[in-house]
Amino acid sequence: MKMSFSHLISQCELLWLLVFLFPFVNAVSKSENYQTYIIHMDHTHKPESFLTHESWHRSILKSLSSSPADDKELLLYSYNHVMHGFSARLTPSQLSEIEESPSHLTTYLESFVKLMTTYSPKFLGLQENFGIWPTASYGEDVIVGVVDTGVWPESESFNDEGMPPVPKKWKGKCENGTAFSPSYCNKKLIGARFYCKGILAAGFDLTKEGEFLSPRDFNGHGTHTASTAVGNHVTGVSHFGYARGTAIGVAPRARLAVYKAHWLKGGVGVSSDVLAGMEQAILDGVDIMSLSLGFNMTSYFNNDIALGTLSAIEKGIFVVCAAGNDYYFETVDNVAPWITTVGASTLDRNFHAKMTLENGVSMEGTSYFPESVFITDMPLYYGKDNMSKAICKDETLDRKEVVGKVVICDSSRLNVSQQIKEVERAGAYAAIFLTDDFSSLSPNEYSIPSLILPTGSGTLVKDYVTRVKTPKVKDMSFMLTRLGTKPAPQVAIFSSRGPSPISPGVLKPDILAPGVDILAAYVPLKFMKVGHYDLVTDYALDSGTSMATPHVSGVGALLKAVHPEWSPAAIRSAMMTTAYAMDNTGTIIKSELTNDFGSPLEFGAGHINPNKAMDPGLIYDMSLQDYIEFLCGLEHTKKQMSALIRRTQWSCSNKSIHDLNYPSFTAVLTTKTRYPLAMNFNRVVTNVGNDKAVYRAHLENIPTGLKISVKPRTLTFTRKYQTRSFVVSIDLDRGFSGVIYGFLKWIDQDSHTVSSPIVAMNFK
């Protein structure tokens, strides 16, 4: 890609020139390599002679014995909000010099970040003339900041038709860059910035890949998440004919600010760039911060999202993060208690194909093939006498045997993405994949007509094809949609489960939101290949906790519009205590992973219910001091605490971690736990409903062996914002493995139900 200098050269482009065209040479030993470090400093040590923290940070770098003449070659970003400190490219000896300074707190190496609708607003119960949408004026003037892969500004989802002037409080702007100028912004898209110093310093030549050194989205992920959260009303959209209808975000009148910190098709990102995006979002004045990304969690003090979001929470910004897409228990990400952590759920909708064998047996399977083809009287092939051919292993299918046929690929350790490539290579016309992981092929991988059948149905197909001399498919039809499927919602198969590996006593994820087959705006670059043709689309289906996160960000914007005085903890509490844990069959939400009933380790407090969240009755509120008390209980060193909370002084009252005022209750047990066992959990609730209210405690779904008591059993309020305290006591008389749970529900005379899961777990 040719570099364009028709606009003012950006800092990213300048660094690209330095790193890839004119690599600098410093007076350092050849045995020392430059690496990027995140360095926390004690800001109280800044000499008064420096007007800004950045000038102080530059002077530190200039003073290094082997510093280059221009400190810009070392410094990437200076931070003053997400943390106190800076990121820089340093050699080990340069880092050692900095670490000897009394103003140094802690350092850690740059880390890589992983990226984690026509119908979903309707599934959430959002209606034009009822409930939270009209009450919140659709989120008007709430500013949602999205840190992701950028934005495609021409998308109809970001048109500003009928929107009032930009809020006066807004301090952000839109930046120049490759194929992007401030003129692309409007009263809907009010901010667009990009951060690539860290990724360039890590050695990625973005321009080689065709990436845009600008806020313009090259990946599609950022455009999709942004339009899911705040996209305007757009009619007549579809994913190649699927999910045809109207696209609209959860908070369609909210404003959008994007901070591009992820790059390339794979969504590559580094911590220094993400921190810079979060820093600027705080400075610009966003109300909501949406992060569909995460780092591998090790501890709070060296996790950039945990660090940066605590600062955002302190400034009243509601922060929403993805739980992750790692399928299994104990993989949940973004687990800090000040973050609202979102798991993914299914909708009551599926996309499928229908097949009838020549013997008259019909069956349906999952399919996203994007063409309305109808297959008739097609020969059916199954490599029954060769295991490698039966599972469609790489380079095993014989073109002479399969060309122009429908090929069956048996269930195996191979993933379906590998199998479809082999089937296509061998010249087959269509494929049937037998697997119980029906999300194993993403919508953009259906390069030939294909359907996924569960292994149970697959047995019927294999039985037919092995008994008949010339088996045939009588017909196959594609692009079929069904609404009202049951059970729904379910916990998506990929959605990361708890408990948190860092602080299992805080239940994570917090809540479920739609995250499977979400239709939203996309970049009109190559989306997929079918046969010899490249297909592009303005709107596409995508799945992941990345898609669930903007739903909660959008609901957060609606709640902020209705209750501007609420703290981030109050907003999360309202979502959690009004969530539902029953599916559309009237039973506990099920897990796609286990094909059984789920638990709060998978669905948190339950599935988000925006209309109920608008009027929760009671909230569990918290401030920064509550989180400081929580961190005190985790035995951090003084320097680690100072880096986390950006203070040199703080107070701790030695509260139990059990007493964090969270809208859930979690007892963590181990094989060393002695029984009988008793635990107490102290909580404070605030009345945000009617002035006068009486709430009574109800315990539901309490399993055998788990004894729960609540004192007092009645909470009486005589005015709004009045607080009341209570204690939940858990008693266990014997051990168990896994997880058991029930629910505490405070119910008043006005039909408010304030629900919280009570969980006991033993995973060690």
Coordinates of all heavy atoms in Angstrom, one line a residue, residues 41-48 50 53 56 60 101-105 648:
M41 N 5.2 5.1 37.7 CA 6.0 6.0 38.5 C 5.2 6.6 39.6 O 4.0 6.8 39.5 CB 6.5 7.2 37.6 CG 7.3 6.7 36.4 SD 8.9 5.9 36.8 CE 9.8 7.3 37.3
D42 N 5.9 7.0 40.7 CA 5.2 7.7 41.8 C 5.2 9.2 41.4 O 6.2 9.9 41.4 CB 6.1 7.5 43.1 CG 5.4 8.2 44.3 OD1 4.5 9.0 44.1 OD2 5.8 7.9 45.4
H43 N 4.0 9.6 41.1 CA 3.8 11.0 40.5 C 4.1 12.1 41.5 O 4.4 13.2 41.2 CB 2.4 11.2 40.0 CG 1.3 11.2 41.0 ND1 1.0 10.0 41.7 CD2 0.6 12.2 41.5 CE1 0.0 10.3 42.5 NE2 -0.3 11.6 42.4
T44 N 4.1 11.7 42.8 CA 4.5 12.8 43.8 C 5.9 13.1 43.8 O 6.3 14.1 44.4 CB 4.1 12.3 45.2 OG1 4.9 11.1 45.6 CG2 2.6 11.9 45.3
H45 N 6.7 12.4 43.1 CA 8.2 12.7 43.0 C 8.5 13.6 41.8 O 9.6 14.0 41.6 CB 9.0 11.4 42.8 CG 9.1 10.5 44.0 ND1 10.4 10.1 44.5 CD2 8.2 10.1 44.9 CE1 10.2 9.4 45.6 NE2 8.9 9.4 45.9
K46 N 7.5 14.0 41.0 CA 7.7 14.9 39.9 C 8.2 16.2 40.4 O 7.5 16.9 41.2 CB 6.4 15.1 39.1 CG 6.6 16.0 37.9 CD 5.3 16.1 37.1 CE 4.3 17.0 37.7 NZ 4.7 18.4 37.7
P47 N 9.4 16.7 40.0 CA 9.9 18.0 40.4 C 8.9 19.1 39.9 O 8.3 19.0 38.8 CB 11.2 18.1 39.7 CG 11.6 16.7 39.4 CD 10.4 15.9 39.2
E48 N 8.8 20.2 40.6 CA 7.9 21.2 40.3 C 8.3 22.0 39.0 O 7.6 22.7 38.4 CB 7.8 22.2 41.4 CG 7.1 21.7 42.7 CD 6.9 22.7 43.8 OE1 7.3 23.9 43.5 OE2 6.4 22.4 44.8
F50 N 8.9 20.8 36.2 CA 8.3 20.2 35.1 C 6.8 20.5 35.1 O 6.1 20.2 36.1 CB 8.5 18.7 35.0 CG 9.9 18.3 34.8 CD1 10.6 17.7 35.9 CD2 10.5 18.4 33.6 CE1 12.0 17.4 35.7 CE2 11.8 18.0 33.4 CZ 12.6 17.5 34.5
H53 N 3.5 15.9 33.3 CA 4.1 14.5 33.6 C 4.9 14.1 32.4 O 6.0 13.5 32.5 CB 3.1 13.5 33.9 CG 2.5 13.7 35.3 ND1 1.5 14.6 35.6 CD2 2.9 13.1 36.5 CE1 1.3 14.5 36.9 NE2 2.1 13.6 37.5
W56 N 8.4 15.5 32.4 CA 9.2 14.8 33.4 C 9.6 13.4 32.8 O 10.8 13.0 32.9 CB 8.4 14.6 34.7 CG 9.1 13.8 35.7 CD1 10.4 13.9 36.1 CD2 8.5 12.9 36.6 NE1 10.6 13.1 37.2 CE2 9.5 12.4 37.5 CE3 7.2 12.4 36.7 CZ2 9.2 11.4 38.5 CZ3 6.9 11.4 37.7 CH2 7.9 11.0 38.6
I60 N 13.5 11.9 32.1 CA 14.0 10.7 32.6 C 14.7 9.9 31.5 O 15.8 9.4 31.7 CB 12.9 9.9 33.3 CG1 12.4 10.6 34.6 CG2 13.4 8.4 33.6 CD1 11.1 10.0 35.1
S101 N 15.7 4.4 40.3 CA 15.2 5.7 40.8 C 14.2 5.5 41.9 O 13.3 4.6 41.9 CB 14.5 6.4 39.6 OG 13.7 7.5 40.1
P102 N 14.2 6.3 42.9 CA 13.2 6.2 44.0 C 11.8 6.5 43.6 O 10.8 6.2 44.3 CB 13.7 7.2 45.1 CG 14.5 8.2 44.3 CD 15.2 7.4 43.2
S103 N 11.6 7.2 42.4 CA 10.3 7.5 41.9 C 9.7 6.3 41.1 O 8.5 6.3 40.8 CB 10.3 8.7 41.0 OG 11.2 8.5 39.9
H104 N 10.5 5.2 40.9 CA 10.0 4.1 40.2 C 9.1 3.2 41.1 O 9.5 2.9 42.2 CB 11.1 3.3 39.6 CG 10.7 2.0 39.0 ND1 10.7 0.8 39.7 CD2 10.3 1.7 37.7 CE1 10.3 -0.2 38.9 NE2 10.0 0.3 37.7
L105 N 7.9 2.7 40.6 CA 7.1 1.8 41.4 C 7.2 0.4 40.9 O 7.6 -0.5 41.6 CB 5.6 2.3 41.3 CG 5.3 3.6 42.1 CD1 3.8 3.9 41.8 CD2 5.5 3.3 43.6
T648 N -0.4 7.4 46.8 CA 0.7 7.0 47.7 C 0.2 6.8 49.1 O 0.9 6.2 49.9 CB 1.8 8.1 47.7 OG1 1.3 9.3 48.1 CG2 2.5 8.2 46.4

